[in-house]
Amino acid sequence: MYKTSFFKKSLLAVMAVFLYSCDKDFNAIGDGLVGDDHFGLESEKYDVLAFNQEVTPIQSNSMTPNALGIFDNPLFGTTTANFVTQVGLVSYSPTIGESPVIESAVLEIPYYSHVTATDNEGNSTYELDSIYGDKNGKLKLSVYESGIQMRTSYFSGGSQLPQFYYTDQNAEFNNKKVGARLNDGDILQNDEFFFDAKEIVIKTIDPDTKKETTERKKPQMTLQLNKDFFQSKILNAATTKLSAEDVFQEYFRGLYFNVERSGSNPANMALMNFSEGKVTIKYKAKTESTTDDANATEEKTIVLNLKGLSSATSSTANFLEDVRNPDFASAITTNVNKTDGDEKLYLKGGQGSLAVVRLFNPTDVLSYNSKGEPVSGANGVPDQLDEMRSNAVVKNWKVNEANLVFYIDADKMAGTEEPNRVYLYDLTNNAVLADYSTDASSTYGGLITVGSDKRGKNYKIRITGHIRNLIKDATAKNVDLGLVVSQSSSTIAFNALKNKNDIMSAVPRTSVMNPLGTILYGGKASIPEDKRLKLEVYYTKPN
């Protein structure tokens, strides 16, 4: 196996664009897959070595979306997702008024959802997206004041470095939460909380005109928060504490969301865009406009946004605690076969696992004479890549298309939700492949192919450009590839591992955001031919 980068300049240029997006991949299943019409072309198949790799604690700050809840997966185990976020005033140095008295403090965070029907009166029926586990699951939800100030950077050896937060830091934040639970509404907002798909309809009547007004909101998390806390923390705060963002972040360090099981109820998990969340404080106070009447007050509002006003990299963090199924745990730790490959490849998002994919037989590289013919190397045997390069030069074979097809273990995955997409990347250099750069949403592939039974059959990924680059440049190195589950086709950023290992130093962010998993067949010789992972290359061969 070759360990250094290929085609460095172009890949580094691509990675200079540190794209960040939340694309929930609501594409039609199978869209954008490479066509199977190869009329007039001849194909060759090549061996692929693939094995499992555990993902250890990983950077989880400043991602969108974030997971919240408990997801029980019979194949992979249970994941508990907690969350912390900074908050910021929409407007600093607010004029609160004299003798303020709070009326309500409400937290609102919209869910990802879509409309399925609308009646004649304008009432819409919604379905929630990105809900995992039992659709009727319940959670014990607790929102606390955070006791840890999340910083954007720190100094080490005279250098300023970015501050990362990791998936395994829940205990640290939980131990330093401040005070009692803030969500003190009815039981459905705390001990038996559930992700409600109902449209929110608010009707108000004007006291003067008696005209009724209807306001409609998409499904959202709506929590009544403790009024005494916000009366003290915001309305009675010293003016200086509300004067600027940096001062406010030190004063009010954020909100920590913690979930537990709700008795014997089944649980579930949602992906949420917390950055759209807000806390609305409504209160009454005496102002300049009410000074003529000693008892008169004015209704006022102060709004706090989650994540603050800045784009600071450390303003949020997702904590993921896993209790792994024993078979899954052993497959990605003790039973990994890096020499012959693994029969089954376990891909799991979050702090889960990925597959390391090595193309061709890792034998010695040959040198070439002036005619482009291979000259025997140390072992005297050309590997498959050497043969491909020789065929391109000597026989003028031209690569029209090259694909990897990963077949799903349908028996294992029966009755389990499958990821909609997988993502293949340059693991050695933490970079996208040339094919992804050309057209990530169309010809590159990675979307699941389903059969007539509506169950997944395989994931097909086109790597034509990658193979052409290896063939064209005899000095190009055959890097390790990584295969992960994917949440977003447009998110190409990488999140750092807390502790690097000899295989990798980072994992694609798109995988950290996805709680699902899948089991695929590897390239080991013991796997039936029709399920075995192979590299299939279609050539134009001159007569």
Side-chain angles (χ1 to χ4, degrees):
M1 186 61 214
Y2 312 104
K3 294 291 183 182
T4 57
S5 171
F6 76 93
F7 211 46
K8 282 186 177 179
K9 293 183 179 179
S10 62
L11 287 176
L12 288 174
V14 171
M15 289 309 297
V17 182
F18 202 67
L19 181 63
Y20 180 72
S21 171
C22 172
D23 162 54
K24 301 206 301 299
D25 274 351
F26 297 134
N27 299 316
I29 300 300
D31 280 0
L33 293 181
V34 180
D36 292 323
D37 184 4
H38 303 105
F39 180 76
L41 302 178
E42 297 184 49
S43 70
E44 301 284 343
K45 293 185 178 181
Y46 302 92
D47 296 330
V48 177
L49 175 70
F51 57 87
N52 291 298
Q53 175 64 46
E54 178 186 17
V55 174
T56 53
I58 188 168
Q59 172 198 353
S60 65
N61 53 294
S62 290
M63 299 191 307
T64 299
N66 291 102
L68 182 71
I70 301 173
F71 179 33
D72 296 311
N73 188 312
L75 295 179
F76 297 93
T78 297
T79 298
T80 301
N82 299 311
F83 178 75
V84 66
T85 178
Q86 288 180 334
V87 297
L89 291 169
V90 169
S91 178
Y92 286 95
S93 296
T95 302
I96 292 177
E98 183 181 345
S99 302
V101 177
I102 193 167
E103 293 189 315
S104 64
V106 181
L107 170 68
E108 297 174 296
I109 307 172
Y111 299 138
Y112 291 119
S113 62
H114 63 277
V115 176
T116 59
T118 302
D119 65 21
N120 294 332
E121 296 181 359
N123 299 306
S124 295
T125 301
Y126 284 84
E127 183 175 330
L128 299 186
D129 304 317
S130 302
I131 299 290
Y132 303 95
D134 193 308
K135 301 298 183 183
N136 299 312
K138 293 184 177 181
L139 301 164
K140 179 181 178 181
L141 173 63
S142 301
V143 182
Y144 296 95
E145 179 186 7
S146 176
I148 297 178
Q149 184 179 9
M150 303 179 75
R151 303 185 183 277
T152 62
S153 62
Y154 69 98
F155 285 92
S156 177
S159 299
Q160 188 174 9
L161 303 175
Q163 175 71 61
F164 292 157
Y165 294 91
Y166 298 92
T167 50
D168 66 341
Q169 289 186 260
N170 183 66
E172 178 182 349
F173 279 79
N174 189 41
N175 290 338
K176 294 187 178 180
K177 61 185 182 291
V178 180
R181 179 165 63 176
L182 295 178
N183 49 319
D184 59 1
D186 62 46
I187 194 171
L188 298 181
Q189 296 184 28
N190 39 66
D191 285 4
E192 295 184 7
F193 171 84
F194 69 102
F195 299 105
D196 193 346
K198 289 183 180 179
E199 179 183 44
I200 297 174
V201 180
I202 303 172
K203 294 185 177 182
T204 57
I205 298 177
D206 187 284
D208 297 324
T209 65
K210 308 303 180 182
K211 182 179 179 181
E212 183 180 78
T213 302
T214 301
E215 179 185 7
R216 301 181 186 279
K217 295 182 179 181
K218 297 191 300 182
Q220 63 179 20
M221 175 187 287
T222 304
L223 304 179
Q224 303 291 328
L225 302 183
N226 185 269
K227 294 190 291 184
D228 291 340
F229 172 84
F230 284 94
Q231 174 79 46
S232 174
K233 196 73 178 180
I234 303 298
L235 300 184
N236 295 348
T239 303
T240 55
K241 299 297 185 183
L242 311 182
S243 61
E245 184 174 10
D246 57 344
V247 177
F248 186 76
Q249 298 296 349
E250 168 64 30
Y251 171 64
F252 190 174
R253 299 184 174 185
L255 295 175
Y256 166 64
F257 294 72
N258 179 268
V259 294
E260 302 169 78
R261 291 193 180 274
S262 174
S264 60
N265 291 306
N268 60 8
M269 177 187 291
L271 293 185
M272 299 180 63
N273 186 357
F274 282 90
S275 63
E276 291 187 0
K278 63 181 180 179
V279 176
T280 302
I281 301 169
K282 293 185 177 181
Y283 67 100
K284 290 183 178 181
K286 296 179 181 179
T287 66
E288 292 182 359
S289 62
T290 63
T291 54
D292 293 338
D293 185 345
N295 297 317
T297 58
E298 179 182 343
E299 293 187 354
K300 302 193 69 178
T301 299
I302 290 180
V303 177
L304 292 81
N305 284 335
L306 304 193
K307 201 179 177 181
L309 294 179
S310 71
S311 58
T313 58
S314 301
S315 57
T316 68
N318 217 168
F319 308 123
L320 305 175
E321 297 178 310
D322 287 328
V323 178
R324 290 172 174 165
N325 177 295
D327 290 340
F328 170 50
S330 62
I332 65 174
T333 54
T334 58
N335 293 332
V336 177
N337 189 337
K338 297 181 181 180
T339 303
D340 300 318
D342 291 325
E343 288 191 351
K344 301 292 177 65
L345 305 177
Y346 287 75
L347 309 186
K348 168 68 169 62
Q351 187 181 309
S353 61
L354 55 82
V356 179
V357 179
R358 291 176 176 170
L359 304 178
F360 315 114
N361 295 322
T363 56
D364 294 337
V365 181
L366 303 185
S367 58
Y368 294 80
N369 62 24
S370 59
K371 297 181 180 180
E373 299 170 334
V375 179
S376 294
N379 61 9
V381 180
D383 74 2
Q384 293 176 326
L385 178 55
D386 294 319
E387 294 176 353
M388 293 175 73
R389 287 169 171 166
S390 178
N391 289 334
V393 174
V394 178
K395 300 180 181 180
N396 198 29
W397 287 13
K398 297 186 182 301
V399 174
N400 287 84
E401 187 175 306
N403 302 311
L404 286 172
V405 181
F406 297 88
Y407 291 93
I408 298 169
D409 186 337
D411 292 336
K412 286 281 189 181
M413 292 299 295
T416 303
E417 187 172 359
E418 300 169 300
N420 187 36
R421 182 189 294 270
V422 296
Y423 170 56
L424 189 72
Y425 67 101
D426 175 353
L427 184 148
T428 300
N429 300 292
N430 295 330
V432 299
L433 296 179
D435 299 86
Y436 187 95
S437 304
T438 302
D439 194 344
S441 62
S442 179
T443 58
Y444 175 75
L447 283 170
I448 194 170
T449 301
V450 298
S452 57
D453 59 356
K454 306 300 181 182
R455 299 299 302 169
K457 295 172 57 180
N458 59 55
Y459 298 93
K460 186 175 183 180
I461 299 177
R462 179 174 180 171
I463 56 171
T464 309
H466 178 66
I467 297 300
R468 284 173 177 167
N469 290 337
L470 287 174
I471 293 175
K472 181 173 59 177
D473 184 359
T475 65
K477 302 304 180 182
N478 186 16
V479 299
D480 279 356
L481 305 179
L483 184 72
V484 296
V485 297
S486 174
Q487 178 66 22
S488 166
S489 63
S490 58
T491 298
I492 62 172
F494 285 77
N495 284 18
L497 289 178
K498 191 173 186 178
N499 299 301
K500 300 178 182 179
N501 56 52
D502 60 345
I503 296 291
M504 59 188 185
S505 61
V507 173
R509 179 174 296 176
T510 185
S511 177
V512 185
M513 298 189 305
N514 192 322
L516 294 176
T518 189
I519 303 175
L520 310 173
Y521 289 99
K524 201 170 182 179
S526 57
I527 299 170
E529 188 74 25
D530 63 338
K531 300 296 183 182
R532 191 185 311 164
L533 173 61
K534 289 277 189 178
L535 169 65
E536 187 166 21
V537 181
Y538 292 88
Y539 292 98
T540 298
K541 300 178 181 180
N543 295 327

